[in-house]
């Protein structure tokens, strides 16, 4: 092989410019994906404007009192979303409090402890559970799980009643409570959260995991020092995605809660309502009642968007989210 060298005093050759010329298929694919993304964004904008337009009469009647009034009674013209917001947040937080720790442990087992064959089976099982309709979860929780949770509520109020959240009134009914609804919703959140967190855990650099083991670390030490810090963004993202699912859940909460707006610290007692469940149970309203439901839907719409946007920001700033567009 002959190697040519530039003559003394001659300028070095200019680097070869590489032009990126996309093919016709690449250009078509880019147009399709761009159009799909803009269509989703446009659909969200249209939904937002529609909800704002239909909510104006309710805000004109109630003003800022719409956000500070607990009861929602269209017959008397008393429209308020505070009780619905409270129930929505409480049920979602209960669901996430139970789902996230279990999801993290399940994701760690699948990614770092299970054998290859079992890993494939569990991955498919988790994805299959995430695809089950929420109606089936709601019916299962209403007919099967609720009788088993009620004794747990009785034990908690008897032994942990000194804590305000577990305190109940004498003779209170302990089924169809926000606690029961939160547990059922958590079962719907676990598959989605586990799938997201597992996917991030499996992307942990193998070299860093092997280095930790080579330095004498145990399996748990490697997980604590490498996997968990790397997957922090995935944990946050999966948790926020599960929170968004819990905030918007409709069928299960409409079956498990009486949909009576209230602000109470007695989470084990009968009662409670969420925005989505209340809208589903009162979808036949007309007039100002329908406008009030649209306003409540607008609140849930904004709340869910804010939750997802916050999750995107947190993930993009984490190590596992580096290079991922927010």
């Amino acid at each position: 092989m002959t190697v040519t060298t530039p003559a003394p005093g001659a300028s070095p050759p200019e680097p070869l410019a590489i032009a990126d010329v996309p093919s016709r298929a690449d250009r078509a694919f880019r147009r399709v994906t761009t159009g799909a993304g803009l269509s989703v964004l446009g659909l969200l904008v249209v939904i937002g404007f529609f909800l704002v337009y239909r909510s104006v009469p309710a805000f004109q009647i109630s003003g800022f009192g719409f956000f500070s009034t607990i009861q929602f009674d269209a017959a008397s013209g008393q429209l308020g979303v505070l009780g619905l917001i409270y129930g929505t947040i409480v049920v979602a937080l209960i669901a996430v409090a139970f789902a996230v720790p279990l999801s993290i442990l399940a994701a760690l087992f699948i990614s770092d402890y299970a054998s290859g064959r079992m890993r494939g089976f569990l991955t498919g099982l988790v994805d299959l559970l995430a695809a089950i309709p929420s109606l089936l979860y709601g019916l299962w929780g209403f007919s099967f799980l609720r009788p088993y949770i009620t004794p747990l509520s009785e034990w908690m109020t008897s032994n942990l009643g000194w804590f305000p959240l577990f305190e109940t009134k004498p003779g209170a009914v302990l089924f169809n409570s926000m606690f029961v609804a939160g547990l059922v919703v958590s079962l719907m959140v676990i598959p989605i959260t586990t799938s997201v967190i597992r996917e991030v855990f499996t992307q942990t650099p193998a070299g860093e995991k092997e280095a930790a083991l080579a330095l004498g670390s145990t399996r748990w030490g490697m997980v604590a020092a490498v996997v968990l810090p790397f997957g922090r963004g995935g944990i946050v993202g999966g948790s926020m995605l599960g929170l968004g699912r819990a905030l918007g859940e409709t069928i299960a909460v409409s079956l498990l809660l009486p949909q009576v707006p209230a602000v109470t610290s007695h989470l084990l007692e009968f009662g409670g309502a969420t925005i989505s469940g209340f809208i589903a149970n009162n979808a036949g309203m007309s007039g100002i009642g329908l406008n009030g439901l649209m306003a409540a839907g607008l609140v849930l719409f904004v709340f869910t968007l804010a939750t997802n946007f916050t999750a995107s920001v947190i993930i993009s700033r984490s190590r596992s989210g580096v290079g991922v567009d927010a």
Side-chain angles (χ1 to χ4, degrees):
M1 182 178 63
T2 305
V3 178
T4 59
T5 58
S11 58
E14 297 183 358
L16 179 63
I18 300 177
D20 183 13
V21 181
S23 63
R24 181 179 300 177
D26 292 333
R27 292 194 298 269
F29 181 74
R30 179 177 301 176
R31 294 191 186 99
V32 171
T33 54
T34 302
L38 293 178
S39 299
V40 173
L41 180 60
L43 184 60
L44 289 176
V45 173
V46 170
I47 293 175
F49 275 111
F50 174 78
L51 291 175
V52 171
Y53 174 73
R54 298 299 299 270
S55 303
V56 170
F59 289 126
Q60 288 177 342
I61 292 177
S62 302
F64 286 103
F66 182 78
F67 299 99
S68 59
T69 303
I70 298 176
Q71 299 299 325
F72 191 106
D73 187 5
S76 62
Q78 187 179 19
L79 303 177
V81 76
L82 180 59
L84 300 177
I85 293 177
Y86 177 81
T88 301
I89 294 176
V90 168
V91 171
L93 291 180
I94 292 174
V96 171
F98 279 94
V100 170
L102 293 177
S103 298
I104 294 175
L105 294 177
L108 284 176
F109 178 78
I110 295 174
S111 63
D112 291 284
Y113 288 90
S115 60
R117 181 175 299 178
M118 181 178 293
R119 183 182 299 115
F121 170 75
L122 293 177
T123 301
L125 178 62
V126 169
D127 294 338
L128 181 63
L129 291 175
I132 294 178
S134 59
L135 174 62
L136 299 182
Y137 280 107
L139 290 174
W140 179 72
F142 180 81
S143 60
F144 176 79
L145 192 61
R146 185 182 61 168
Y148 292 95
I149 299 180
T150 301
L152 175 61
S153 300
E154 295 174 352
W155 181 89
M156 293 174 66
T157 188
S158 300
N159 297 273
L160 304 174
W162 50 269
F163 190 67
L165 294 180
F166 303 141
E167 181 184 3
T168 58
K169 301 175 184 177
V173 178
L174 301 182
F175 64 87
N176 285 22
S177 63
M178 289 187 284
F179 177 72
V180 175
L183 286 183
V184 174
V185 174
S186 70
L187 299 178
M188 306 165 60
V189 171
I190 287 175
I192 298 176
T193 308
T194 301
S195 180
V196 174
I197 297 176
R198 177 198 59 80
E199 187 66 26
V200 176
F201 283 168
T202 56
Q203 296 177 6
T204 305
E208 297 185 13
K209 297 167 65 175
E210 294 172 358
L213 294 174
L215 291 175
S217 177
T218 61
R219 179 66 63 88
W220 165 245
M222 179 271 294
V223 168
V226 179
V227 179
L228 289 178
F230 178 84
R232 187 178 295 114
I235 295 175
V236 174
S239 302
M240 299 297 280
L241 182 62
L243 179 62
R245 171 71 186 272
L247 289 172
E249 177 50 40
T250 303
I251 301 299
V253 294
S254 64
L255 293 173
L256 295 168
L257 291 178
Q259 300 306 325
V260 178
V263 176
T264 176
S265 61
H266 304 299
L267 306 183
L268 303 179
E269 293 185 5
F270 175 89
T274 64
I275 296 178
S276 57
F278 188 83
I279 293 175
N281 284 12
N282 297 274
M285 284 187 177
S286 59
I288 191 61
L290 180 59
N291 296 125
L293 293 180
M294 290 291 180
L298 177 62
V299 172
L300 181 60
F301 181 76
V302 174
F303 205 91
T304 305
L305 284 182
T307 301
N308 293 332
F309 178 76
T310 303
S312 299
V313 172
I314 295 176
I315 293 173
S316 64
R317 294 182 179 180
S318 65
R319 185 186 173 197
S320 53
V322 172
V324 178
D325 293 334

